[in-house]
Structures are given as structure tokens and as C-alpha cells.
């Protein structure tokens, strides 16, 4: 898996950064999910390796414009590109009205199956491979963060041990691969766990929406491989940041440390900061949590 940051600015775009959108690529085929869809996200798609036809799900943290104003354009361009694959949107109450109203008033439509799911806190997606849990954050309007967990992958079948135990080939091998028990034609009952190699732990990510320090922050980010969190303002502007429902560099890094995250990627920087300011912001984070990186537009991070 890898993350592609399509926009890393807060509130408004700048000449150096677009507003928020993050792509999560799930497989070698390029299947992806999108987290938020700020203005001009579809332009950023064209500058990246992401493909709209591989987009399966969009998770919206909240309904501020810098997180959703790119959604109508992306949805309709997908139809104009003759993409027929279904798409599911997840987000706070009001998302369905936003989508339906903008499409209706602009005389637009989509030609593929589109489902809009308005969410509450808790598990919002689970297909047995990936699970997504929504957590309420501390912003000036309803806003969520998403914990994305990949289930552990079972180890490979030990063919040498199967051969040594005279286990013949057959449809039961698929069940053994899943760790299940099977009864063979000779009456023996064998257990998949006895023939599987070590499982591979699944990856865990936390992608926060806009937020001041929140009660659920530790649970959302607990021991994740990657934590993505806003760092809208520098530490000296803490009061201003928190009053507007945002966090500072130091607050973000402190959460990553306390949650025992393995890695922090900070994003959503105020447009007041230019590229030459970023080493200073990075230093504030790394003084507390050394494994910090700063996102930039079109940067790709392997997970």
C-alpha cells in the first residue's frame, strides 16, 4: 500500500499547495480509496499515478469546502470518462444533500452506481480484508478521523509438511489455506493451522480530519504504522489553532508519541507557510517525535 498526497494546504490553496485530498492505493492493480476531495482534486489525479477508474471509495472527514468542493467535478468527470465501476461515498450527515443538490442544480449526473453512506462513530466498513472505523474529532463542525486496519494475512501452506503427512491434493487445500479444519477421504481430520507458516501482520493507519486535540485521538492512532494528522500552525500559535478547531506541530507530534505510532506524516499546513518555512515546522515536530515527515503535494509514501 502507499499514500499519495494530492493536496496539503489548509483552508485555501496556494501556489505551492492544493487543498486536502489523500489517495490510499491498496493493490498492485492500482485500486484506491480517497480521503477528502478538495477543490481541483481531479487535476491532481492527472498529475499523479492514481486512476479515477480504480477509485472504489471516498471517505469525507467533514463538509468544509476545502475538503469537499472537488467532489462534484470528480464524480461527473468519472462519468464523462465512461467509467462504469461503482463508487461509494462515506461522510457526515449532509453529504448526500450536498452531492444531490450540486448535481441537480448543475444539470449533472453520474452513469455508474453511486452510493452515499452518512456515517456515525464506529465501524463503517469491513470486508474481511480491510476495516475502517470512524472516530469523532474536535472541530468547529462534525468531523471524523478514520482508522484503517488491514487484517493479518495467513501464512503460506507448507507443501513439504503436507507431503510428509501424506495429505493428497484436493479442494480441501483451499480450506487449509484459510486455517480451517478438514476431514480427508481416509477419515483423518487435519487442521490448517498446523500447516501454515507465520502470518503477516496487517498494516494500520490513522487519517485524521481537521481537529484540535481530541479525546479519542489516542484510541484512533494507537500503535498505527502511519499516522496522518494536520499541523495547521506552529507551536507559538496554539491558542489561535485550537480556537479554530486545529492543531499545532507540537500537539500533533505529542499525540503521535503518546499513541506509540511508528511514523507521523504531518499535513494541512496554513497557506501562510511557504516551502522555506517547512524545516522550522519539521524541527518542532521532530523535537518530540523524531519519526516525523511533512507531506507535500504529489508526494508518495510507502506503507
Amino acid at each position: 500500500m502507499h499514500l499519495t498526497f494530492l493536496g496539503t494546504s489548509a483552508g485555501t490553496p496556494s501556489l505551492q499547495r492544493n487543498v486536502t485530498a489523500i489517495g490510499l492505493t491498496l493493490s498492485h492493480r492500482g485500486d484506491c480509496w480517497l480521503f477528502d476531495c478538495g477543490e481541483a482534486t481531479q487535476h491532481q489525479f492527472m498529475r499523479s499515478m492514481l486512476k479515477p477508474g480504480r477509485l472504489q471509495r471516498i471517505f469525507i472527514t467533514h463538509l468544509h469546502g476545502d475538503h469537499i468542493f472537488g467532489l462534484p467535478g470528480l464524480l461527473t468527470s468519472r462519468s464523462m470518462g465512461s467509467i462504469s465501476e461503482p463508487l461509494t461515498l462515506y461522510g457526515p450527515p449532509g453529504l448526500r444533500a450536498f452531492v444531490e443538490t450540486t448535481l441537480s442544480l448543475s444539470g449533472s449526473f453520474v452513469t455508474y452506481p453511486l452510493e452515499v453512506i452518512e456515517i456515525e462513530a464506529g465501524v463503517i466498513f469491513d470486508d474481511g480484508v480491510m476495516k475502517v472505523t470512524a472516530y469523532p474529532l474536535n472541530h468547529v463542525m462534525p468531523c471524523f478521523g478514520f482508522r484503517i486496519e488491514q487484517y493479518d494475512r495467513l501464512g503460506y501452506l507448507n507443501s513439504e509438511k503436507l507431503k510428509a503427512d501424506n495429505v493428497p491434493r484436493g479442494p480441501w487445500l483451499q480450506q487449509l489455506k484459510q486455517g480451517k479444519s478438514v476431514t480427508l477421504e481416509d477419515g483423518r481430520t487435519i487442521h490448517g493451522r498446523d500447516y501454515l507458516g507465520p502470518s503477516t501482520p496487517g498494516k494500520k493507519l490513522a487519517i485524521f480530519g481537521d481537529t484540535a486535540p481530541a479525546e479519542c485521538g489516542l484510541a484512533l492512532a494507537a500503535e498505527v504504522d502511519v499516522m496522518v494528522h494536520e499541523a495547521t500552525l506552529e507551536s507559538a500559535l496554539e491558542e489561535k489553532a485550537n480556537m479554530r478547531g486545529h492543531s499545532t506541530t507540537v500537539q500533533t507530534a505529542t499525540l503521535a508519541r503518546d499513541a506509540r505510532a511508528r511514523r507521523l506524516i504531518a499535513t494541512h499546513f496554513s497557506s501562510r507557510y511557504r516551502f522555506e518555512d517547512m524545516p522550522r515546522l519539521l524541527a518542532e515536530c521532530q523535537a518530540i517525535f523524531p519519526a516525523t515527515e511533512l507531506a507535500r503535494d504529489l508526494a508518495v509514501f510507502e506503507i
Side-chain angles (χ1 to χ4, degrees):
M1 293 191 295
H2 60 262
L3 289 167
T4 301
F5 284 79
L6 300 174
T8 57
S9 184
T12 61
S14 71
L15 291 176
Q16 297 179 330
R17 298 180 185 274
N18 199 50
V19 285
T20 300
I22 305 169
L24 173 62
T25 303
L26 303 171
S27 71
H28 67 280
R29 297 195 316 144
D31 296 337
C32 69
W33 296 351
L34 185 67
F35 292 83
D36 285 332
C37 188
E39 178 185 351
T41 291
Q42 64 174 321
H43 289 263
Q44 297 293 78
F45 254 83
M46 291 186 283
R47 298 183 178 102
S48 75
M49 297 298 292
L50 303 178
K51 304 298 181 185
R54 293 295 185 184
L55 181 58
Q56 299 173 332
R57 306 180 192 280
I58 301 177
F59 298 85
I60 300 297
T61 61
H62 64 296
L63 302 184
H64 272 156
D66 58 317
H67 294 256
I68 64 167
F69 280 172
L71 193 53
L74 178 61
L75 296 180
T76 53
S77 290
R78 219 169 165 266
S79 286
M80 296 179 72
S82 300
I83 295 170
S84 59
E85 294 300 313
L87 182 63
T88 305
L89 311 183
Y90 304 81
L95 178 60
R96 181 180 293 105
F98 173 77
V99 171
E100 292 177 350
T101 300
T102 52
L103 294 183
S104 174
L105 292 179
S106 64
S108 303
F109 56 89
V110 296
T111 56
Y112 51 85
L114 177 65
E115 182 179 12
V116 181
I117 299 175
E118 296 188 335
I119 64 174
E120 298 178 348
V123 175
I124 60 172
F125 174 78
D126 189 342
D127 66 353
V129 178
M130 304 286 288
K131 180 173 73 171
V132 181
T133 307
Y135 288 78
L137 299 178
N138 180 14
H139 197 42
V140 296
M141 69 185 310
C143 183
F144 291 96
F146 301 108
R147 182 179 175 94
I148 305 102
E149 298 173 280
Q150 182 184 46
Y151 282 91
D152 294 348
R153 288 169 288 176
L154 295 175
Y156 291 102
L157 275 177
N158 186 331
S159 59
E160 293 299 321
K161 182 172 172 54
L162 288 167
K163 183 177 180 181
D165 289 350
N166 295 314
V167 178
R169 291 183 175 276
W172 46 82
L173 291 181
Q174 190 61 39
Q175 293 175 284
L176 293 176
K177 286 181 181 179
Q178 298 170 3
K180 297 179 180 179
S181 298
V182 301
T183 300
L184 302 177
E185 293 176 346
D186 62 9
R188 287 183 293 159
T189 297
I190 59 175
H191 308 287
R193 64 175 180 273
D194 296 331
Y195 295 92
L196 290 174
S199 61
T200 302
K203 299 296 184 181
K204 299 179 179 64
L205 298 85
I207 298 179
F208 283 72
D210 291 5
T211 186
E215 290 183 6
C216 69
L218 287 175
L220 172 50
E223 298 183 346
V224 293
D225 295 283
V226 179
M227 169 179 150
V228 178
H229 197 291
E230 66 142 282
T232 303
L233 292 171
E234 60 195 284
S235 180
L237 299 176
E238 178 178 311
E239 183 178 357
K240 181 176 183 179
N242 294 170
M243 180 178 64
R244 297 181 179 180
H246 293 295
S247 298
T248 68
T249 49
V250 167
Q251 290 174 326
T252 294
T254 299
L255 174 58
R257 180 197 66 194
D258 293 348
R260 298 187 300 279
R262 290 186 174 89
R263 184 181 182 192
L264 166 64
I265 304 175
T267 187
H268 198 269
F269 307 108
S270 168
S271 57
R272 72 174 61 203
Y273 300 117
R274 300 184 61 80
F275 285 162
E276 55 265 30
D277 299 310
M278 303 320 290
R280 176 166 55 87
L281 301 185
L282 179 61
E284 288 191 350
C285 290
Q286 290 183 335
I288 295 168
F289 189 75
T292 300
E293 300 165 85
L294 303 187
R296 63 185 186 282
D297 283 24
L298 303 181
V300 178
F301 295 85
E302 295 291 333
I303 302 170

